Amino acid sequence: MFRYGQNDSNGERFWVTKVFSLQSIQPEAAHYNSTAYLKVQYSSSDSSSDLTLNKRKVILAITLPTTSILILLIIVAILYPQRRRKYKENDEDSEFNQLLSGMPTRFSFEKLRECTEGFSKKLGGGGFGSVFERKLDGERVAVKHLEGARQGKKEFLAEVETIGSIEHINLIKLIGFCAEKSHRLLVYEYMSRGSLDRWIYNRRSNTRFDWSTRCKIILHIAKGLCYLHEGCRREIAHLDIKPQKILLDGNFNAKVADFGLSKLIDRDQSKVMTMMRGTPGYLAPEWLTSQITEKVDVYSFGVVILEIISGRKCIDRSRPEEDVHIIYLLREKAQNNQWIDLIVDNNSDDSVSRQEEVIQMMKLAMWCLQNDSSHRPSMSMVIKVLEGAISVESHIIQSFLNANSIMSVQDNQYLYLVREASILSGPW
């Protein structure tokens, strides 16, 4: 604080050099009249301005870093999923390249979409996707476009690795595949006659199989399954054998197709644990325990034999209640010695002249349909029966005929579990 005074008599101003109190000055003691001027700091508005400025500085000091961090987090939230998805796709591509080195040709999705003209010519479809016909590099092919989540990466790899690493005249040939982002496609050899179910269920068709053609198809299926079970380094259980999975070429040669539900079994394993999968009507009783062997395919094969002989579906709810299930119908006809009634063309000359062969084929189906999997034949034994090297023993037939009460109990539980907990397969 600066202080100065003024002598009122002559107007002279002077600095006050000593600190004093105005109250202590007695007017009568002063030898001059004086006025004191005090210079003081007025802090009301200034201090308010300073305080506001300080607040602004604090707010800025807090807001700027917070805003920067928030913006950074938003950027990370936007970019991270994209980069993660990109890295995941790259990792999957790398994994496919490692796992499938030496496997069939890998095609781009764009090439397959282009060659199928935008997937326009559809051959068929089912639970796992649709099949399209087209020419690829001058070769007629069937492109299977897998859809939805029911067949994911694991199932896709199972199919590619399984069928891509084996080759047999009665197994469908995998030419190539596509594994690009979420797209999963399989390129198979083209089978001009389509799937077996189109021929055996269509009673309106003018073309009917003669008995020799039916026998040939059954033998081809057996040879394809035998190779899967006994001819590969690791045993392969198909787990979804049915007419929709059997494809026919121009000469009605049959090939087993679609390995999306297949299971690899080590040779030293007696059984494997797996969740129920397949199609109702073709599933063996042991699926109730989830402990299965390749004999589940033998059971399904037995059902397919009956369908080929009878020309009807294994479960047909359009029929009277006692005839809905083809296995019960077979048991009834065999017990009443009415075998020939089960034949699709039981009035044709071809069927009548081959009655004994037809009955032997039904007995083979009975052997394959034994409740106890250990009592079923191997597929190599089935081939021997089909080729006439051995015959089905009578006690096996009796075992099938006496299993009625056991089967009915198992089927009730069985169909319930299939509806509730299985991986069900649709058409090819």
Side-chain angles (χ1 to χ4, degrees):
M1 180 185 295
F2 297 101
R3 295 173 294 275
Y4 63 93
Q6 177 178 322
N7 192 328
D8 291 340
S9 59
N10 57 17
E12 182 183 359
R13 295 183 181 184
F14 58 90
W15 287 104
V16 178
T17 59
K18 294 182 180 180
V19 177
F20 65 96
S21 172
L22 294 178
Q23 293 179 344
S24 64
I25 300 176
Q26 300 298 324
E28 62 275 9
H31 63 277
Y32 55 84
N33 293 326
S34 63
T35 299
Y37 295 89
L38 303 178
K39 185 179 181 181
V40 298
Q41 181 179 1
Y42 182 69
S43 61
S44 176
S45 60
D46 292 344
S47 61
S48 176
S49 298
D50 290 343
L51 183 59
T52 302
L53 182 60
N54 289 336
K55 285 182 178 179
R56 289 177 180 173
K57 289 180 178 179
V58 171
I59 292 172
L60 286 174
I62 296 174
T63 304
L64 286 177
T66 304
T67 304
S68 300
I69 293 173
L70 183 61
I71 293 173
L72 183 61
L73 289 175
I74 292 173
I75 293 173
V76 170
I78 294 173
L79 295 180
Y80 178 71
Q82 297 177 355
R83 293 182 67 85
R84 184 181 180 186
R85 188 161 50 249
K86 182 177 179 181
Y87 284 134
K88 184 178 180 181
E89 290 169 0
N90 290 337
D91 287 344
E92 284 191 356
D93 285 345
S94 176
E95 184 177 352
F96 275 117
N97 290 334
Q98 291 176 6
L99 290 174
L100 303 175
S101 58
M103 293 294 182
T105 306
R106 183 174 182 179
F107 298 100
S108 69
F109 177 72
E110 188 59 36
K111 181 176 179 64
L112 294 182
R113 181 168 60 181
E114 181 180 326
C115 82
T116 57
E117 297 180 354
F119 305 106
S120 59
K121 191 171 183 181
K122 189 174 181 178
L123 291 174
F128 289 156
S130 302
V131 182
F132 304 87
E133 174 198 348
R134 207 57 192 166
K135 282 191 175 182
L136 182 64
D137 299 330
E139 182 180 5
R140 207 172 183 187
V141 297
V143 179
K144 183 179 180 183
H145 192 181
L146 305 177
E147 300 165 355
R150 290 185 65 185
Q151 183 171 26
K153 179 181 175 183
K154 183 178 179 180
E155 290 80 8
F156 178 79
L157 279 175
E159 185 156 2
V160 174
E161 288 186 290
T162 300
I163 196 62
S165 61
I166 58 179
E167 187 171 348
H168 188 272
I169 193 172
N170 297 121
L171 299 177
I172 195 73
K173 181 182 178 182
L174 181 65
I175 297 171
F177 69 99
C178 171
E180 187 176 307
K181 297 181 180 179
S182 61
H183 301 297
R184 302 282 186 267
L185 297 97
L186 297 165
V187 182
Y188 288 109
E189 64 177 310
Y190 179 75
M191 302 291 283
S192 60
R193 300 286 186 179
S195 55
L196 177 61
D197 61 301
R198 298 179 182 180
W199 295 87
I200 61 176
Y201 298 154
N202 188 4
R203 292 182 177 273
R204 296 179 182 178
S205 174
N206 294 326
T207 304
R208 292 287 182 87
F209 291 151
D210 57 23
W211 178 246
S212 61
T213 301
R214 295 176 191 273
C215 289
K216 180 175 76 170
I217 291 172
I218 291 171
L219 179 60
H220 288 177
I221 299 170
K223 288 183 175 180
L225 287 176
C226 183
Y227 182 77
L228 292 176
H229 294 176
E230 304 174 27
C232 300
R233 183 177 60 85
R234 294 180 69 187
E235 188 176 309
I236 301 171
H238 186 282
L239 305 185
D240 198 23
I241 292 298
K242 58 184 179 181
Q244 292 89 340
K245 308 296 184 180
I246 310 302
L247 303 182
L248 305 173
D249 67 11
N251 296 318
F252 291 104
N253 295 305
K255 299 190 179 189
V256 178
D258 200 346
F259 289 76
L261 299 183
S262 63
K263 182 81 174 177
L264 298 177
I265 304 174
D266 292 330
R267 292 294 174 188
D268 58 353
Q269 287 182 282
S270 57
K271 293 182 178 181
V272 293
M273 291 285 296
T274 184
M275 67 184 297
M276 188 180 289
R277 60 182 81 181
T279 305
Y282 302 90
L283 301 171
E286 60 265 29
W287 276 114
L288 284 170
T289 66
S290 297
Q291 292 186 337
I292 57 101
T293 67
E294 80 287 351
K295 293 294 183 69
V296 295
D297 286 347
V298 177
Y299 186 95
S300 301
F301 174 75
V303 177
V304 172
I305 290 177
L306 295 182
E307 290 184 304
I308 293 174
I309 292 174
S310 66
R312 53 155 287 176
K313 296 180 180 180
C314 59
I315 298 177
D316 187 351
R317 303 198 181 280
S318 66
R319 296 174 180 268
E321 184 177 351
E322 63 274 12
D323 293 344
V324 168
H325 204 303
I326 197 172
I327 296 178
Y328 295 152
L329 185 60
L330 171 64
R331 183 176 291 109
E332 177 193 343
K333 297 301 180 183
Q335 288 173 338
N336 296 325
N337 200 27
Q338 297 173 331
W339 302 81
I340 202 67
D341 290 350
L342 200 60
I343 303 175
V344 60
D345 296 320
N346 52 21
N347 294 321
S348 68
D349 293 337
D350 184 54
S351 298
V352 172
S353 62
R354 302 289 187 92
Q355 278 193 35
E356 186 57 37
E357 293 179 31
V358 173
I359 292 173
Q360 289 303 315
M361 190 70 78
M362 291 183 186
K363 290 181 178 180
L364 173 60
M366 289 179 175
W367 193 5
C368 295
L369 293 169
Q370 297 290 309
N371 280 343
D372 188 339
S373 62
S374 64
H375 293 167
R376 296 175 206 147
S378 64
M379 290 310 302
S380 57
M381 293 289 288
V382 168
I383 292 172
K384 289 180 180 180
V385 174
L386 292 172
E387 292 178 341
I390 61 175
S391 59
V392 181
E393 297 181 7
S394 58
H395 74 274
I396 294 173
I397 308 305
Q398 200 60 41
S399 173
F400 176 82
L401 297 178
N402 293 337
N404 190 29
S405 58
I406 298 175
M407 278 294 295
S408 58
V409 172
Q410 288 183 341
D411 278 356
N412 289 335
Q413 296 175 324
Y414 185 49
L415 294 176
Y416 172 78
L417 286 179
V418 168
R419 288 195 300 268
E420 297 297 321
S422 63
I423 302 175
L424 299 183
S425 166
W428 191 80

